[in-house]
Amino acid sequence: MRHGEVHNPAGVLYGRLPGYHLSERGRQMADVVAGSLRDRDVTHVVASPLERAQETAAPIAAAHGLPIATDVRLIEAGNWFEGKTFGVGDGSLRHPAIWPKLVNPFKPSWGEPFVRIASRMAAAVADARRAATGHEVVLVSHQSPVWIARRHFEGRHLWHDPRKRECSLASLTSLTFDGDTLLSIEFSEPAASLLPGANKVAGA
């Protein structure tokens, strides 16, 4: 699961910085997903150590009477732009200091290598499966690690266009295993009605 919406009025790339908590809407998202999983056979809840992931996991764990286990391998991807505002159209690309960080999108050159993210996420999934053998487990992480893990399990190359990730806020990317065999990968959005812009009227 990707965490819910974060309170970030300054619009910075918060990455692994501490102090970024769920917004009110993010808390609602977490509650909605917890409700959607209430009748599932969840026996283990694990979250990234960052506040937003822990807060997203809290209502899920509470609904099943479980503690939240913390796994640092589920943490957000390391990123050189952490703490900065960076986006298309904001003029940031005009600064020569950042150009060396953008030379290799296949690695990527601006942060933690995709192969490292895939390795740690796959290991976290494997350990969680062992801890909840025969049952279900919920892992709460972040957009980039969840998407990289999905591409890894699907056997696709890890480099990609970040704008095309299928990993919305509070979404679920579900892996179903039979023993060590991966049977399916499914994507769902239990909190889709709470996503920013979901209720906008066309033309408004």
Side-chain angles (χ1 to χ4, degrees):
M1 178 181 179
R2 181 186 174 190
H3 62 77
E5 183 185 77
V6 175
H7 180 64
N8 181 23
V12 302
L13 188 96
Y14 38 78
R16 296 177 177 178
L17 294 175
Y20 282 88
H21 298 267
L22 293 183
S23 65
E24 180 56 36
R25 177 159 53 187
R27 293 181 185 279
Q28 292 174 10
M29 289 176 169
D31 287 340
V32 167
V33 176
S36 75
L37 296 174
R38 188 176 302 277
D39 296 328
R40 302 301 296 253
D41 184 27
V42 175
T43 61
H44 203 47
V45 178
V46 191
S48 153
L50 296 176
E51 292 99 327
R52 57 192 184 271
Q54 294 281 321
E55 291 164 359
T56 298
I60 300 171
H64 294 276
L66 298 170
I68 301 172
T70 299
D71 191 336
V72 71
R73 293 172 298 185
L74 299 176
I75 201 167
E76 176 65 284
N79 195 310
W80 184 83
F81 295 104
E82 182 177 279
K84 302 175 177 64
T85 56
F86 179 79
V88 176
D90 66 359
S92 55
L93 292 175
R94 291 198 299 267
H95 300 290
I98 74 167
W99 295 347
K101 303 299 180 183
L102 301 174
V103 296
N104 186 356
F106 301 101
K107 185 179 179 180
S109 51
W110 56 81
E112 184 180 8
F114 292 139
V115 292
R116 185 181 302 165
I117 299 171
S119 177
R120 62 176 170 85
M121 289 294 288
V125 168
D127 285 350
R129 285 177 50 221
R130 283 190 286 270
T133 299
H135 304 279
E136 294 180 85
V137 57
V138 177
L139 306 178
V140 183
S141 187
H142 308 266
Q143 186 190 59
S144 179
V146 171
W147 184 243
I148 292 298
R150 175 174 169 177
R151 295 183 72 89
H152 165 76
F153 283 112
E154 290 177 336
R156 293 194 283 168
H157 53 69
L158 302 180
W159 55 268
H160 61 280
D161 183 343
R163 297 168 298 180
K164 297 182 179 179
R165 291 171 178 166
E166 187 180 38
C167 191
S168 54
L169 291 166
S171 62
L172 297 171
T173 300
S174 302
L175 310 176
T176 301
F177 288 87
D178 181 4
D180 291 329
T181 302
L182 177 62
L183 299 180
S184 66
I185 299 177
E186 299 179 4
F187 176 77
S188 61
E189 299 175 295
S193 64
L194 292 171
L195 290 172
N199 297 316
K200 282 185 178 180
V201 177

